Amino acid sequence: MSRSDIQAPEADSETLPKQQRTYTIGELSRMFEVTPRTVRFYEQEGLLAPGRKGQQRIYREKDRVRLKLTLRGKRLGFSLAEIREVVMMYDAMPDGNARQLRRLLEILANKRDSLERQLEDIRLMRLEIDDVDHRAREVLRSLGQKA
Amino acid sequence: MSRSDIQAPEADSETLPKQQRTYTIGELSRMFEVTPRTVRFYEQEGLLAPGRKGQQRIYREKDRVRLKLTLRGKRLGFSLAEIREVVMMYDAMPDGNARQLRRLLEILANKRDSLERQLEDIRLMRLEIDDVDHRAREVLRSLGQKA
DNA sequence: GACGAGGTTTACGTTAACGTAAAGTGCTTG
DNA sequence: CAAGCACTTTACGTTAACGTAAACCTCGTC
């Protein structure tokens, strides 16, 4: 090992003062089962803002959380633009002027409404699925086959 | 009014034997707040199969329900291909051979899983939103402004 | 019979969210 | 030092889900 004194080696990976853990793009993408391309694309879209060591990206906890939130939003069918709306304003909060904050509250209320609608949609779709399921099983039984 | 005997006029719109009510593409698209283009596109993708009177499309209850289900699926972030998977097999059921039916049950189980994951995602995202909401309100208060 | 309101087909355009390929950089290991 | 990873930038390609425009029918109406 000819590494000099660049930074702490990843020897002790679990016993850190909660502040230092970083990730490479490869680690992150494996962790969430996305490609590096996707991670870079999210950065380009303003959803992530990793640091750099030379030309390499270094991701911190904050970035990992953001990525997690982003992917969760995607699973719910939100666009990256919508996700950014919330995620970024969350960061812009500390220095937040009142207008921005009110705008944020507005957006949050909208998201909440959207989620409620989704809940209802899920409920209904479940009913439909159960219905189709029942019918299918009955037809199967009428064919003399067991479930 | 010089319409002859093409079909029942829409005079009695509520007292029909449950069998005859039809819709034009314009009616449907207004009803669901989508463009006619969208409705035609869904047909092209195999999600709708309206009848024809001459060159005009005529939609029945069945088509309206399909459209409703399709849009619900979209709100939940499913692709048209995924939606078609379920919607079409639902129709293919009556004549269903056992293999098709088992395949359908499989698909349904997957959808159910997907919905459960979404429920969890919604739950988590709600927590996040509430959190951000709280923080924002507190910052606002610290600025001497109410809510 | 001109016309306006709806419908139709055909076809090219657009946006989001990446995929994929090429060519280069930096480290470490045989 | 050659080779091999893992990372980087640049840039063009691709797919889904429509939008948009043009050009055409077909009514009932003025």
Side-chain angles (χ1 to χ4, degrees):
Chain A
M1 259 210 255
S2 60
R3 200 158 3 60
S4 43
D5 57 350
I6 317 179
Q7 225 171 19
E10 75 280 57
D12 47 355
S13 53
E14 207 61 28
T15 59
L16 290 168
K18 166 72 179 175
Q19 197 51 12
Q20 301 297 357
R21 191 18 171 154
T22 71
Y23 309 86
T24 73
I25 198 171
E27 289 171 331
L28 262 192
S29 53
R30 265 169 312 213
M31 183 171 298
F32 289 103
E33 307 197 293
V34 297
T35 68
R37 168 65 171 134
T38 298
V39 179
R40 292 197 195 96
F41 181 71
Y42 289 172
E43 175 181 354
Q44 176 184 327
E45 294 300 297
L47 289 162
L48 303 175
R52 295 274 174 152
K53 162 152 62 177
Q55 82 170 346
Q56 246 192 261
R57 277 164 256 251
I58 49 183
Y59 299 88
R60 313 194 178 287
E61 270 307 314
K62 172 179 177 166
D63 299 302
R64 195 187 59 87
V65 171
R66 277 206 195 186
L67 180 52
K68 186 181 61 176
L69 295 179
T70 298
L71 295 174
R72 182 179 296 155
K74 283 225 64 192
R75 283 197 301 273
L76 291 176
F78 292 110
S79 71
L80 295 184
E82 290 174 303
I83 295 168
R84 182 177 41 202
E85 238 183 353
V86 173
V87 171
M88 294 213 51
M89 299 210 66
Y90 176 88
D91 276 21
M93 264 194 38
D95 66 336
N97 67 54
R99 211 177 59 76
Q100 286 266 324
L101 287 175
R102 290 182 189 287
R103 170 99 182 94
L104 175 56
L105 287 181
E106 216 179 288
I107 294 177
L108 292 177
N110 287 342
K111 292 291 169 198
R112 240 191 301 257
D113 288 357
S114 171
L115 290 182
E116 298 309 323
R117 250 173 292 145
Q118 290 213 29
L119 279 180
E120 178 66 4
D121 281 334
I122 288 181
R123 207 178 60 73
L124 293 172
M125 187 168 277
R126 262 183 172 175
L127 292 178
E128 308 273 359
I129 287 185
D130 288 351
D131 180 40
V132 178
D133 189 289
H134 273 92
R135 289 162 182 269
R137 285 177 197 278
E138 278 194 25
V139 178
L140 264 181
R141 299 185 61 173
S142 80
L143 293 179
Q145 324 237 356
K146 61 180 173 68
Chain B
M1 259 207 255
S2 60
R3 205 168 346 69
S4 43
D5 58 350
I6 317 178
Q7 225 172 19
E10 74 280 58
D12 47 356
S13 53
E14 207 62 27
T15 60
L16 290 167
K18 166 75 179 172
Q19 198 52 13
Q20 302 297 358
R21 187 23 169 153
T22 70
Y23 310 86
T24 73
I25 197 170
E27 288 172 330
L28 263 193
S29 52
R30 264 168 313 212
M31 184 171 297
F32 290 103
E33 308 198 291
V34 297
T35 70
R37 168 64 171 136
T38 297
V39 179
R40 292 196 195 97
F41 181 72
Y42 289 172
E43 174 181 355
Q44 175 183 329
E45 294 300 296
L47 289 162
L48 303 175
R52 295 273 174 153
K53 160 153 59 174
Q55 82 170 348
Q56 247 191 259
R57 277 164 254 252
I58 48 183
Y59 298 88
R60 313 193 179 288
E61 269 307 315
K62 171 178 177 166
D63 299 302
R64 195 187 58 86
V65 171
R66 277 207 194 186
L67 180 52
K68 186 182 58 176
L69 295 179
T70 298
L71 294 174
R72 182 178 296 154
K74 283 226 62 194
R75 284 196 300 272
L76 291 176
F78 292 109
S79 72
L80 294 183
E82 291 175 302
I83 295 168
R84 181 177 42 202
E85 238 183 353
V86 173
V87 170
M88 294 212 53
M89 299 209 67
Y90 176 89
D91 275 23
M93 265 194 37
D95 67 334
N97 68 55
R99 211 177 59 75
Q100 286 266 324
L101 287 175
R102 290 182 190 288
R103 170 99 182 93
L104 175 56
L105 288 181
E106 216 180 290
I107 294 178
L108 291 178
N110 287 340
K111 292 291 169 198
R112 240 192 301 258
D113 288 356
S114 171
L115 291 182
E116 298 309 322
R117 250 172 292 145
Q118 290 212 28
L119 280 179
E120 178 65 4
D121 281 333
I122 287 180
R123 206 179 59 73
L124 293 173
M125 187 168 279
R126 263 183 172 174
L127 293 179
E128 308 273 359
I129 286 185
D130 288 351
D131 181 40
V132 178
D133 189 290
H134 273 91
R135 289 161 181 269
R137 286 178 195 279
E138 279 194 24
V139 177
L140 263 180
R141 299 184 61 173
S142 80
L143 293 180
Q145 324 239 357
K146 63 184 172 67

